[in-house]
Amino acid sequence: MRRPSLDVARLDALAPALRIEVLEEATSTNAVAAQRARDGAPEGLLVVAEHQTAGRGRLDRSWATPPRSALLFSLVLRPTVPAADWPWLPLLTGHTVAKTLRGAGYDAGVKWPNDVLLAGADGESKKIVGILVERVDTPTGPAAVIGIGLNVSLTPEELPVPTATSLAIAAGHDPDRTAVLIDLASALVEAYDAWQAGGEEARDRLASSYAAACVTVGREVRVELPAGDSLLGRATGVDRSGRLVVTGPTGQTAVGAGDVVHVRATDQ
Ligand code: BTN
């Protein structure tokens, strides 16, 4: 059965804060948004695709979902906060998406840096949202592309990995994708504007609110580092640069990039 398309007319609710471009198919909404930014698109362009043929994930992975089963979108931003605060954008995004899903009744949490997980009845959490934030150099200065992929109506058979889930699996029915997109995009705009306009105080607030909500903090973790080695220890906090602080046998290490696995003490 063909899944329903997004209701483009209802997306007008997001104007004038956002300008929406809905594509039936794109290679990757991040790639399209980055090109639009290089061509001069202002902050607030939201590129949405019903299907991606070359969706990109973090750490050079791919991201694939059946047509119209997910929300796949990328937002062009042109942040004016100091460059040192840019690493908070992925965390701000994950935190906001998790809060929005919690507001809609889902038991969502953010795993450092920005995977959004849903807690399952068996106590195991599964990934429902992937976020890829990319910096793009453009003729008018650097831009950020915030790419979000949310599994909406995927069935258990369609999940790319057994550690993933979808809103439909969690809720037992297919949610209205258009309504979820409007909620997520509005929440993102609101959180980003407050963070941008609120100065040092807003950035401090985000740091403490993120650290308090992040489901990784307090867990035993194994961090697979980009260089190929891994780090074992307890995640004890998130530093002022948004790095995960891991406390292990050799002391504290702040990790800026890597794949975090939540482990039970017995798995180590
Ligand atoms: C991850 O690896 O967890 C990040 C996945 C990000 C996927 C989204 S889907 C919309 C946007 N376009 C892309 O090509 N990637 C992001």
Side-chain angles (χ1 to χ4, degrees):
M1 194 190 79
R2 189 186 193 275
R3 291 176 154 108
S5 298
L6 286 163
D7 183 347
V8 178
R10 277 163 63 209
L11 296 178
D12 283 348
L14 292 167
L18 298 177
R19 186 166 72 78
I20 325 285
E21 181 177 339
V22 180
L23 304 169
E24 194 49 39
E25 188 170 278
T27 49
S28 143
T29 55
N30 267 36
V32 174
Q35 190 53 51
R36 301 282 189 269
R38 284 190 285 269
D39 292 344
E43 173 157 290
L45 171 68
L46 185 74
V47 178
V48 185
E50 293 284 27
H51 185 228
Q52 292 184 133
T53 53
R56 306 204 292 241
R58 283 178 62 235
L59 307 171
D60 280 335
R61 301 199 180 105
S62 60
W63 185 269
T65 45
R68 296 172 299 279
S69 67
L71 283 172
L72 309 166
F73 57 100
S74 301
L75 175 62
V76 174
L77 296 176
R78 294 186 179 271
T80 53
V81 294
D85 288 313
W86 281 51
W88 277 97
L89 270 172
L91 285 70
L92 170 71
T93 306
H95 188 34
T96 305
V97 170
K99 273 200 280 189
T100 307
L101 292 180
R102 278 201 299 279
Y106 296 94
D107 194 355
V110 62
K111 181 179 104 166
W112 186 90
N114 60 9
D115 280 349
V116 178
L117 310 180
L118 285 195
D122 55 1
E124 284 298 308
S125 289
K126 295 189 165 181
K127 178 163 167 173
I128 185 132
V129 180
I131 295 169
L132 177 66
V133 177
E134 296 178 295
R135 185 194 142 106
V136 185
D137 288 313
T138 82
T140 51
V145 170
I146 312 285
I148 299 181
L150 164 66
N151 295 337
V152 179
S153 66
L154 282 89
T155 62
E157 299 70 40
E158 291 171 325
L159 296 171
V161 286
T163 51
T165 190
S166 70
L167 294 182
I169 293 170
H173 63 89
D174 275 4
D176 174 351
R177 271 189 319 138
T178 307
V180 179
L181 176 56
I182 292 171
D183 281 356
L184 284 178
S186 325
L188 272 175
V189 169
E190 193 183 319
Y192 170 73
D193 285 349
W195 176 70
Q196 274 259 115
E200 198 65 29
E201 206 180 294
R203 295 199 281 280
D204 285 350
R205 242 192 340 264
L206 170 62
S208 27
S209 157
Y210 176 89
C214 176
V215 298
T216 304
V217 176
R219 298 284 306 250
E220 295 296 325
V221 293
R222 186 176 70 247
V223 188
E224 276 143 25
L225 300 164
D229 44 345
S230 66
L231 180 67
L232 271 176
R234 179 180 290 269
T236 48
V238 177
D239 75 8
R240 301 303 298 166
S241 306
R243 295 176 303 180
L244 185 70
V245 179
V246 178
T247 305
T250 57
Q252 286 196 340
T253 311
V255 178
D259 226 2
V260 170
V261 182
H262 292 165
V263 290
R264 296 186 197 88
T266 49
D267 296 337
Q268 293 180 44

